[in-house]
Amino acid sequence: MTYSKIPLLFMIVSLSILPSRLYAATASPTSSAHAPLTVTFSCSASGGTAPYSYLWDFGDGASSTEANTTHTYTTTGLWTATIYVVDATNTVVSKSFSIKVGAIVNQ
């Protein structure tokens, strides 16, 4: 049996793995048949590079920079509330919630 000589090539690869950006965000309740509707929003972050900053955009012109907050929707409508979490390296993650207030709940 004959074996041919095959040159072996090796490649060294260096990978930089970024820490994961993890967060948990909740909004409750997210619908009501009638206005006003007060919603409790909460968010916590880990991974990435601390410290973190938070921005809740409630979709109706109001916002908050608190991780945990409440907001009252005073008019009927379909709103999108979004949390933006920014770490010390300016990496941004976001999550959105649909908020339904009034007769639109049944549509």
Side-chain angles (χ1 to χ4, degrees):
M1 198 175 234
T2 331
Y3 294 96
S4 62
K5 292 186 179 182
I6 300 173
L8 296 177
L9 299 176
F10 291 95
M11 182 185 304
I12 298 174
V13 177
S14 175
L15 297 176
S16 294
I17 299 175
L18 298 174
S20 62
R21 271 84 175 165
L22 302 175
Y23 66 96
T26 60
S28 181
T30 58
S31 65
S32 173
H34 306 285
L37 172 64
T38 299
V39 180
T40 299
F41 296 94
S42 65
C43 184
S44 61
S46 63
T49 305
Y52 308 100
S53 60
Y54 303 87
L55 173 64
W56 284 100
D57 176 349
F58 300 118
D60 63 353
S63 62
S64 173
T65 57
E66 300 296 320
N68 304 303
T69 190
T70 60
H71 179 67
T72 301
Y73 293 87
T74 58
T75 58
T76 298
L78 177 60
W79 312 101
T80 300
T82 304
I83 179 65
Y84 298 93
V85 180
V86 183
D87 76 359
T89 65
N90 289 322
T91 299
V92 180
V93 293
S94 64
K95 182 176 181 179
S96 295
F97 298 89
S98 292
I99 309 295
K100 301 171 189 174
V101 181
I104 198 165
V105 170
N106 297 321
Q107 293 183 358

